[in-house]
Amino acid sequence: MGQPNVSTRRPRLISGTAIAAALVVMSSGCGMASGMASTERSQLEPISVSSPRVRDGGPLPSDYSCKGSAGNPPLRWSRVPEGTKSVAIVADSNSRTGGEVHWVVFDIDPRTNELPEGGVPVGAVEGSTTNGKVGYSPPCGVQENYRFTVYALDGKVDLRKGASLGQTLRSIADKTIAWGRLTAAHIE
């Protein structure tokens, strides 16, 4: 398995304008971190993200696409900083024509370091995706890039199941202290 893509993000305190910009960027498939200046991103700790079924930069197995039936791929993460109160995961597509958020899971216990195939850890909450669905919305675009981003948070998102995408992403952005990402280059 190749090296996971490890990234750093923004400092904990940023302006409301920067958060709003990050959310617009995220909802368009460019990632919450993409809207932040590189100096802001470099001030956060990286998380290592991997999967026993998806290699960073490799294809997303079709089992995890709209042609498969496995649901979400299994994910693992490490190097979550001390002081993390919860973990969140956002799966999105990165497209030149706009992206889509395929999955949002939050309030994952910080002692958890993996997510099972086709499921979420006990106590975790799933928010709405771009299409309004709650839970994993399997991607279909064969040539798209798909990103599974793990965020370490300094508090719980504390929203109900099915909370709106904008509300959920804003809460995640407000609480992020570290992040890492695994990217699938296309669907096999």
Side-chain angles (χ1 to χ4, degrees), residues 37-166:
S38 62
T39 55
E40 293 173 329
R41 288 192 302 257
S42 67
Q43 294 180 15
L44 290 184
E45 297 182 46
I47 296 174
S48 179
V49 182
S50 64
S51 172
R53 295 289 321 268
V54 181
R55 184 178 50 83
D56 191 58
L60 180 68
S62 61
D63 290 351
Y64 307 114
S65 75
C66 62
K67 294 180 182 177
S69 61
N72 61 275
L75 295 173
R76 295 178 181 153
W77 54 91
S78 60
R79 300 191 323 191
V80 173
E82 193 171 316
T84 296
K85 303 288 189 234
S86 72
V87 174
I89 298 171
V90 177
D92 71 318
S93 61
N94 182 12
S95 169
R96 296 185 203 294
T97 60
E100 183 175 348
V101 175
H102 296 276
W103 194 32
V104 180
V105 183
F106 54 89
D107 291 347
I108 299 170
D109 187 306
R111 296 170 295 187
T112 301
N113 62 2
E114 64 183 301
L115 185 117
E117 177 179 87
V120 297
V122 173
V125 181
E126 293 177 296
S128 295
T129 62
T130 300
N131 66 13
K133 178 183 174 188
V134 175
Y136 185 69
S137 180
C140 293
V142 175
Q143 296 303 316
E144 300 283 331
N145 291 332
Y146 295 100
R147 302 175 307 188
F148 297 88
T149 309
V150 176
Y151 297 92
L153 309 178
D154 65 0
K156 289 185 116 184
V157 171
D158 206 23
L159 294 172
R160 63 176 167 60
K161 180 178 181 175
S164 76
L165 181 59

